[in-house]
Amino acid sequence: MEQALWSRSCRALRQRLESLRRAGVVQLVRPEPFAVQPAGIPPARADVGPAAGDTAAVAAPAARRPVARPQVEEVAGGPSAAAGTMAPAPPEDRPPSLSRPAALDVLRHEVAHCLRCPPLAASRTQTVFGVGDPEARLCFFGEAPGADEDRLGEPFVGAAGKLLDRILAACGLRREEVYILNVLKCRPPGNRTPAPEEIANCRTFFERQLQILQPEFLCCLGATAAQTLLRTTQPLGRLRGRFHDHQGIQVLVTYHPAYLLRSPDKKRDTWEDMKMLLRAMGREIP
Ligand code: URA
């Protein structure tokens, strides 16, 4: 009897693995332990889904494009304000499987059901995953959704987003040509700065997003994005003006558009940063 049950379970597992393999899934990973345990607080929405310990399917990223690199500087370590563990880099020789859009969709679905930060999961209208061209050479990395983003499900659609659109236009770019994502996928209530545990909980998501996107360039908007990505506590002023490396991505740091709305005198510096980025990308400066 037990033997029959065991055989049936093994057969079901084999079939499940085979169907995942046919769908292009090349690796199954256990999620990292969360900094905040989802204890006690119920989800806000009935459709907030699978248990935190569920196994996640990982799609193999497309191969990185060959890159002509400007001088890249590593950031000196130091204890990060944005603590957390980093997902291990995938081996370079993974067989190709899901396309970038399909791999992003798998991850988007996982993010939409995340309960790692119970208070944020309870207060969000929806998660805000990211938007833009999955093949973009350039990504913009912000902090967290605000009220407008939470309502519409898209990053940078409020006042700061309008300014980002103007910065892109000044660079001769449209938002459809780049990819925009945030550190946090949920809105922190009252637009407060993300807490270190929230950043740690979201780290695997944005790291995997970047592994799928494989951009050549990434522009960090503001100190939270920059310090989180580069795992540093150096102030933004010290991080600007040079390229940093993050797993082969050339990272430039500039002011957050919301800060520029409060301090318009910094727009000139931002334009200098953008020109540096455009030059490195080999693009004409308008
Ligand atoms: N600020 C951010 O950092 N991200 C958004 O999506 C909107 C405002």
Side-chain angles (χ1 to χ4, degrees), residues 1-15:
M1 180 67 184
E2 268 183 19
Q3 181 61 37
L5 191 63
W6 175 250
S7 303
R8 260 206 317 277
S9 304
C10 286
R11 202 165 49 243
L13 181 61
R14 259 200 310 277
Q15 281 167 355

Side-chain angles (χ1 to χ4, degrees), residues 128 141-146 149 154-158 160-161 180-182 221 256-258:
V128 179
F141 191 44
E143 180 175 308
E149 291 76 19
E154 187 174 323
F156 284 98
V157 288
I180 305 171
L181 70 160
N182 282 314
L221 300 168
H256 193 287

